[in-house]
C-alpha cells in the first residue's frame, strides 16, 4: 500500500511539473528570471480552464493536457530546457517541493475525511472525478447540479487527480500540499519584486499564527484549543489564518484559493514595477495572466473577487498614474484597467452565466462591532508593524490622529485603530507597492467593522461569513506588506552581514529540516490520525461494512442516484454519497439550504427519504420520483429509521457485513 501511494504521489508531482514546463517558455521573455516561478500557478490555472471547457463541450478532460505536451516538445526542439535555464530554476522547484512535502506529512498524519467540511469537500471532488461534466452533479441533491456553488477548486483538484491516475480519497490529501507549494512559490516571487534581500519573508504570511494563538499558548491551552480558539477570537465569527486552514485540513474553497491570491498579487506588483520595461507583447501577456487569475476567482471562492476586483483596479490606476505621463505611452498604460476586467469576465463567461447561487441579500451596518482587544488579537502583529512604519509621519503630523475620533464617537473603536496607519499611509502619497498592499489590507479590516454582507446565517452569526471571507485576503495584503517592511528594516540594519558565512549557508537547511520535522513533533491528528494518504482508510476499522460497500459502489459502472439516510449536517450520515460521488436524494440539508434556499424544498426531500425507508407502499414510487436507482441499507439507516422496505420488489445486488444495496426497478 505504501509503495502504491508513493507512486501516486510521484505521478501527481509529474503532472504538476509537466504543466509548469509546458507554460514556462511562453512566460520567459516577459517575466525573465521569475518566469519559472510564475509558470507553476499559471499552468495549473490554465489547465483548470482548458479542462473545464472540455467538460463544458462534452470532451475528455485529459485533452487539456495536449497543449502543454505540444509546448514542451516545441520548446525542447528549440533547446529551451538547457542547463543554463534549468539549474537556476531549481530554486523554484524547491520552493514548491519543500512546502508540498511539509503538508504531505501533515496530511499523512491526519488524512481522514471525517469532520468539519471534509465530507462536503470530498463529496464534490468525488462527484467531479466520477463524472467530469459541466456543471458537475450535486452529490447531495439528486437531479441538481453544482451551478449553485463555486466549485472550480474542486474541478482543478479532480482533473489533476484524473490525469495523474490518483483516486479521489488520495487526491483529497494531495490538494492542500499542492496549494501550499503554489502559494509559497507565488509569495516568494513577490518577495523578489519587493525586496533586494530576505526575499523569503513574504512567504511567512502563510506560516505565522495570529496573536490570539500566542495568547492561547501562553495561558497553557491544549494544541487543539490553541488552533480552534485563535480562529474564533472575535465573538460569533471565524477569523482563520493560512497555517490554521492548512493544518485543519478542509479542502475548501477559501483554502484552495490561497495560491491564486498570491499569484494575482505577484502579477499586479510586477505590472506596477516593470510596466515601463515591457514590450507590447509582454504587456498583453501580463494582462492575460492577470485576467486568468482574476476571472478564476469567482469559481474558486466568489468572495475573493469582491476584494481582488477593486485591488486590480487600484493597481491599474497606479500603473496609469506612474507610466501614463508620457504621451506616447499613455494609451498603453491604461491596459491593466481597460483589458484585465473585461477579459477576466470573458475567460469564464459560461461559468458566470451558469451560476445560480442565491448570493448576498444586501449590505447592512454592523450593530455590534469587534471588541478592540479581540480585534488586536487577530490583526495586532501587522498593525504593530504598520504603526512602527508610520511612526516618523506620526511624530511629524500628530494632528492626523484626529481622523480616528469620528469612528470612536460612532462606536467603532476597532475601526479607529485600523484608521490610524491607513490615514498616514494615504496622506503621505508614496503609493509604493508595499504601501499600496498595506493600504488595501487596512481598508478591508476597517470597512468590515462598519458594514457586513447579509446572508442566511441568522442573527447571531450575521458577520461570520463577512469576516471569515474578507479577513483572509486582508491577511495576505497586510501580511506581505508588513513582512516586506521588516525585510527592509533588516536590510537597512545589515544584520545578515554580521552573521558568519557558515551559519548563513546552514540556516536554510536547518529551517527546512525543522519544517519537515514539525508535523511529527506536534499533535496535529486531532484524534483522527491514520498514517496514510487514503482519506477513507479509517472506515475499514471504524465502519467495515460501509468501507466494503462503498468500495463496491465506487467501482459500479453506470450513472446512478442513491438513497441513503439523512441525519443532519456535520455527522457521519451522507457518507455513502460523499465517498462514492454518487448523488443522493438529499445529503447534508443545511448545506443545500445555504445553496438553494427555500426553492430547494430541502425539508420535503428529507421527509421523502424517511418515507422510502419506513413506508413500503411508497418506497418504489418515491424512489422513482427522484430517478433513484440504488437503495442503501446500513447501520446508519437502521439507527435513523424503522426500516420497512418492499424487498420482494427490489433487486438485492450487494449483501455483506450488515449492508444491503438494492437496485430499484425502472
Amino acid at each position: 500500500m505504501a509503495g502504491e501511494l508513493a507512486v501516486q504521489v510521484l505521478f501527481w508531482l509529474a503532472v504538476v511539473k509537466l504543466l509548469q514546463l509546458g507554460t514556462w517558455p511562453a512566460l520567459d521573455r516577459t517575466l525573465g528570471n521569475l518566469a519559472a516561478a510564475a509558470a507553476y500557478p499559471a499552468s495549473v490555472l490554465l489547465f483548470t480552464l482548458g479542462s473545464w471547457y472540455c467538460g463544458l463541450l462534452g470532451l475528455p478532460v485529459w485533452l487539456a493536457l495536449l497543449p502543454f505536451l505540444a509546448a514542451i516538445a516545441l520548446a525542447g526542439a528549440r533547446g529551451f530546457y538547457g542547463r543554463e535555464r534549468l539549474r537556476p530554476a531549481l530554486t523554484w522547484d524547491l520552493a514548491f517541493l519543500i512546502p508540498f512535502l511539509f503538508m504531505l506529512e501533515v496530511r499523512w498524519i491526519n488524512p481522514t475525511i471525517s469532520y468539519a467540511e471534509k465530507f462536503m469537500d470530498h463529496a464534490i471532488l468525488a462527484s467531479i472525478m466520477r463524472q467530469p461534466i459541466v456543471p458537475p452533479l450535486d452529490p447531495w441533491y439528486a437531479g441538481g447540479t453544482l451551478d449553485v456553488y463555486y466549485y472550480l477548486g474542486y474541478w482543478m483538484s479532480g482533473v489533476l487527480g484524473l490525469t495523474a491516475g490518483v483516486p479521489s480519497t488520495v487526491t483529497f490529501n494531495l490538494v492542500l500540499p499542492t496549494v501550499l507549494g503554489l502559494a509559497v512559490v507565488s509569495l516568494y516571487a513577490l518577495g523578489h519584486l519587493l525586496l533586494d534581500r530576505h526575499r523569503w519573508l513574504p512567504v511567512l504570511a502563510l506560516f505565522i499564527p495570529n496573536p490570539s494563538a500566542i495568547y492561547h499558548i501562553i495561558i497553557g491551552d491544549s494544541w487543539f484549543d490553541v488552533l480552534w480558539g485563535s480562529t474564533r477570537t472575535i465573538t460569533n465569527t471565524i477569523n482563520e489564518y493560512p497555517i490554521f486552514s492548512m493544518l485543519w485540513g478542509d479542502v475548501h474553497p477559501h483554502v484552495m484559493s490561497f495560491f491564486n491570491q498570491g499569484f494575482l498579487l505577484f502579477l499586479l506588483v510586477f505590472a506596477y514595477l516593470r510596466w515601463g520595461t515591457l514590450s507590447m507583447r509582454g504587456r498583453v501577456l501580463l494582462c492575460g495572466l492577470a485576467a486568468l487569475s482574476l476571472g478564476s476567482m469567482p469559481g474558486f471562492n466568489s468572495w475573493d473577487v469582491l476584494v481582488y476586483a477593486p485591488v486590480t483596479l487600484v493597481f491599474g490606476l497606479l500603473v496609469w498614474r506612474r507610466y501614463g505621463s508620457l504621451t506616447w505611452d499613455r494609451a498603453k498604460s491604461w491596459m491593466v484597467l481597460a483589458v484585465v476586467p473585461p477579459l477576466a469576465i470573458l475567460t469564464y463567461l459560461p461559468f458566470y452565466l451558469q451560476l445560480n447561487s442565491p448570493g448576498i441579500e444586501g449590505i447592512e451596518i454592523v450593530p455590534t462591532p469587534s471588541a478592540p482587544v479581540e480585534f488586536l488579537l487577530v490583526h495586532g502583529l501587522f498593525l504593530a508593524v504598520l504603526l512602527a512604519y508610520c511612526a516618523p509621519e506620526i511624530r511629524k503630523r500628530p494632528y492626523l490622529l484626529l481622523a480616528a475620533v469620528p469612528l470612536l464617537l460612532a462606536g467603532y473603536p476597532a475601526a479607529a485603530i485600523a484608521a490610524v496607519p491607513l490615514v498616514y499611509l494615504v496622506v503621505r502619497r508614496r503609493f509604493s507597492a508595499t504601501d499600496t498592499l498595506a493600504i488595501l489590507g487596512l481598508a478591508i479590516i476597517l470597512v468590515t467593522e462598519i458594514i457586513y454582507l447579509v446572508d442566511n446565517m441568522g442573527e447571531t452569526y450575521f458577520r461570520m461569513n463577512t469576516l471569515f471571507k474578507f479577513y483572509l485576503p486582508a491577511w495576505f495584503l497586510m501580511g506581505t506588506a508588513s513582512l516586506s517592511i521588516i525585510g527592509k528594516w533588516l536590510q537597512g540594519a545589515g544584520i545578515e552581514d554580521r552573521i558568519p558565512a557558515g551559519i548563513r549557508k546552514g540556516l536554510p537547511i536547518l529551517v527546512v529540516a525543522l519544517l519537515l520535522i514539525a508535523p511529527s513533533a506536534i499533535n496535529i491528528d486531532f484524534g483522527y490520525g491514520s498514517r496514510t494518504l487514503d482519506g477513507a482508510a479509517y472506515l475499514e476499522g471504524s465502519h467495515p461494512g460501509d468501507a466494503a460497500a462503498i468500495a463496491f459502489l465506487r467501482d459500479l459502472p453506470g450513472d446512478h442516484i442513491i438513497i441513503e439516510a439523512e441525519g443532519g449536517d456535520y455527522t457521519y450520515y451522507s457518507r455513502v454519497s460523499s465517498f462514492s460521488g454518487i448523488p443522493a436524494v438529499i445529503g447534508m440539508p443545511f448545506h443545500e439550504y445555504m445553496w438553494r434556499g427555500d426553492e430547494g424544498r430541502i425539508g420535503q426531500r428529507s421527509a421523502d427519504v424517511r418515507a422510502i425507508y419506513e413506508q413500503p407502499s411508497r418506497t418504489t414510487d418515491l424512489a422513482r420520483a427522484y430517478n433513484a436507482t440504488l437503495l442503501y441499507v446500513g447501520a446508519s439507516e437502521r439507527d435513523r429509521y424503522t426500516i420497512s422496505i418492499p424487498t420482494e420488489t427490489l433487486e438485492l445486488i450487494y449483501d455483506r457485513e450488515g449492508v444491503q444495496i438494492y437496485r430499484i426497478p425502472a
Side-chain angles (χ1 to χ4, degrees):
M1 182 63 178
E4 182 181 354
L5 290 173
V7 170
Q8 290 170 353
V9 172
L10 290 175
F11 278 9
W12 178 280
L13 287 172
V15 170
V16 173
K17 183 59 182 176
L18 184 149
L19 296 175
Q20 186 259 356
L21 287 173
T23 306
W24 179 10
L27 310 184
D28 188 63
R29 286 173 54 188
T30 300
L31 300 180
N33 65 329
L34 299 177
Y40 269 106
S43 63
V44 172
L45 289 176
L46 285 168
F47 183 60
T48 301
L49 176 67
S51 61
W52 186 86
Y53 272 102
C54 286
L56 181 67
L57 298 172
L59 301 173
V61 294
W62 59 263
L63 289 177
L65 196 63
L66 296 182
F68 296 90
L69 295 174
I72 290 173
L74 181 60
R78 294 176 176 176
F80 180 84
Y81 305 109
R83 182 178 297 179
E84 71 283 355
R85 275 199 179 91
L86 293 177
R87 181 174 290 176
L90 282 174
T91 299
W92 302 111
D93 295 332
L94 290 174
F96 172 81
L97 186 60
I98 291 168
F100 178 92
L101 293 175
F102 163 76
M103 263 315 292
L104 190 69
E105 186 178 356
V106 170
R107 298 312 307 145
W108 178 77
I109 292 171
N110 180 20
T112 58
I113 303 165
S114 54
Y115 61 94
E117 297 288 2
K118 294 176 180 59
F119 267 16
M120 172 199 146
D121 296 329
H122 185 266
I124 298 176
L125 177 64
S127 174
I128 289 170
M129 294 185 70
R130 188 178 180 93
Q131 288 186 274
I133 58 176
V134 173
L137 301 179
D138 186 339
W140 284 347
Y141 192 89
T145 59
L146 284 167
D147 56 357
V148 294
Y149 194 60
Y150 29 88
Y151 61 80
L152 196 60
Y154 301 105
W155 182 273
M156 172 195 77
S157 309
V159 293
L160 285 174
L162 288 170
T163 305
V166 179
S168 64
T169 53
V170 177
T171 293
F172 180 89
N173 285 310
L174 296 180
V175 176
L176 293 187
T178 305
V179 167
L180 184 61
L182 296 173
V184 166
V185 169
S186 298
L187 292 188
Y188 190 31
L190 180 62
H192 278 66
L193 297 174
L194 298 175
L195 295 165
D196 296 324
R197 302 174 75 174
H198 312 293
R199 291 164 165 170
W200 49 269
L201 273 166
V203 172
L204 292 184
L206 296 166
F207 292 93
I208 57 176
N210 64 19
S212 182
I214 307 302
Y215 166 76
H216 283 280
I217 291 172
I218 292 172
I219 65 175
D221 278 349
S222 67
W223 176 237
F224 177 87
D225 290 334
V226 167
L227 288 175
W228 187 258
S230 64
T231 60
R232 270 68 183 170
T233 301
I234 298 177
T235 304
N236 295 328
T237 71
I238 297 175
N239 14 94
E240 289 191 16
Y241 45 90
I243 191 59
F244 166 85
S245 303
M246 285 287 163
L247 295 178
W248 191 243
D250 288 349
V251 183
H252 217 53
H254 71 283
V255 187
M256 288 185 284
S257 72
F258 284 175
F259 83 94
N260 195 25
Q261 293 184 53
F263 182 50
L264 183 60
L265 291 179
F266 162 77
L267 294 171
L268 294 175
V269 172
F270 189 95
Y272 181 46
L273 297 179
R274 302 192 182 179
W275 188 263
T277 66
L278 298 177
S279 65
M280 189 61 183
R281 175 188 177 278
R283 292 175 179 182
V284 170
L285 177 65
L286 195 61
C287 287
L289 290 173
L292 171 69
S293 176
L294 182 63
S296 299
M297 284 186 171
F300 272 86
N301 182 28
S302 63
W303 294 76
D304 288 347
V305 79
L306 300 178
V307 170
Y308 285 100
V311 167
T312 301
L313 293 177
V314 168
F315 272 95
L317 287 169
L318 291 176
V319 170
W320 170 75
R321 177 176 178 265
R322 184 172 186 178
Y323 299 99
S325 58
L326 300 174
T327 304
W328 62 270
D329 209 35
R330 188 180 300 277
K332 297 175 187 177
S333 68
W334 274 97
M335 284 181 64
V336 176
L337 278 173
V339 174
V340 173
L343 187 56
I345 295 171
L346 289 172
T347 301
Y348 272 109
L349 185 60
F351 178 91
Y352 305 147
L353 294 176
Q354 287 180 351
L355 195 61
N356 192 30
S357 173
I360 300 302
E361 300 171 7
I363 301 175
E364 298 285 351
I365 300 296
V366 174
T368 52
S370 308
V373 172
E374 295 175 351
F375 186 77
L376 289 172
L377 283 172
V378 174
H379 305 295
L381 174 60
F382 300 145
L383 287 170
V385 172
L386 295 175
L387 283 169
Y389 183 53
C390 294
E393 297 290 333
I394 295 173
R395 287 193 294 268
K396 188 184 302 182
R397 293 187 279 188
Y399 57 86
L400 290 177
L401 293 170
L402 294 173
V405 172
L407 292 169
L408 285 171
L409 295 176
Y412 295 97
I417 294 171
V420 173
L422 177 60
V423 167
Y424 280 96
L425 288 171
V426 171
V427 167
R428 71 181 179 183
R429 296 168 63 89
R430 290 182 188 172
F431 299 117
S432 65
T434 299
D435 283 17
T436 302
L437 294 172
I439 288 168
L440 292 166
L442 289 166
I444 292 170
I445 64 172
L446 188 154
V447 169
T448 51
E449 281 301 304
I450 300 171
I451 62 173
Y452 70 98
L453 302 184
V454 181
D455 54 22
N456 54 2
M457 290 300 296
E459 294 182 3
T460 301
Y461 301 102
F462 68 96
R463 293 180 73 202
M464 190 185 79
N465 265 333
T466 298
L467 294 197
F468 182 18
K469 300 301 174 60
F470 283 135
Y471 271 14
L472 282 166
W475 183 280
F476 274 85
L477 291 161
M478 288 195 298
T480 52
S482 300
L483 291 162
S484 297
I485 290 167
I486 292 173
K488 292 173 183 176
W489 288 343
L490 292 175
Q491 183 176 321
I495 292 177
E496 186 176 344
D497 296 331
R498 302 174 192 174
I499 301 174
I503 296 178
R504 284 206 307 271
K505 292 179 180 178
L507 193 58
I509 298 174
L510 177 62
V511 170
V512 170
L514 290 174
L515 187 68
L516 297 180
I517 292 171
S520 299
I522 58 179
N523 177 22
I524 56 168
D525 65 15
F526 309 129
Y528 295 92
S530 297
R531 295 338 190 241
T532 179
L533 290 176
D534 186 346
Y538 77 101
L539 292 177
E540 296 177 4
S542 59
H543 304 279
D546 285 338
I550 289 168
F552 167 79
L553 289 170
R554 287 173 66 89
D555 292 334
L556 188 66
D559 298 338
H560 295 284
I561 290 175
I562 198 164
I563 301 166
E564 64 174 322
E566 178 273 297
D569 290 63
Y570 304 107
T571 67
Y572 181 67
Y573 297 97
S574 307
R575 79 285 189 201
V576 180
S577 50
S578 178
F579 282 110
S580 68
I582 298 174
V585 170
I586 186 65
M588 293 189 181
F590 184 68
H591 282 76
E592 288 295 342
Y593 174 73
M594 287 286 291
W595 301 339
R596 299 178 185 276
D598 294 329
E599 294 180 2
R601 302 180 66 201
I602 309 304
Q604 183 62 55
R605 287 194 172 223
S606 297
D608 286 346
V609 168
R610 177 175 290 277
I612 287 169
Y613 281 107
E614 295 186 343
Q615 300 179 31
S617 63
R618 303 180 65 195
T619 297
T620 304
D621 288 340
L622 277 176
R624 287 171 176 166
Y626 291 103
N627 295 315
T629 58
L630 302 171
L631 177 64
Y632 190 98
V633 181
S636 295
E637 284 69 31
R638 295 186 180 94
D639 289 343
R640 180 73 168 157
Y641 309 119
T642 303
I643 302 294
S644 179
I645 57 175
T647 55
E648 67 280 359
T649 63
L650 304 174
E651 179 189 355
L652 182 65
I653 63 170
Y654 180 92
D655 187 5
R656 284 181 57 192
E657 299 186 66
V659 175
Q660 293 82 43
I661 302 174
Y662 298 89
R663 190 187 306 276
I664 299 164

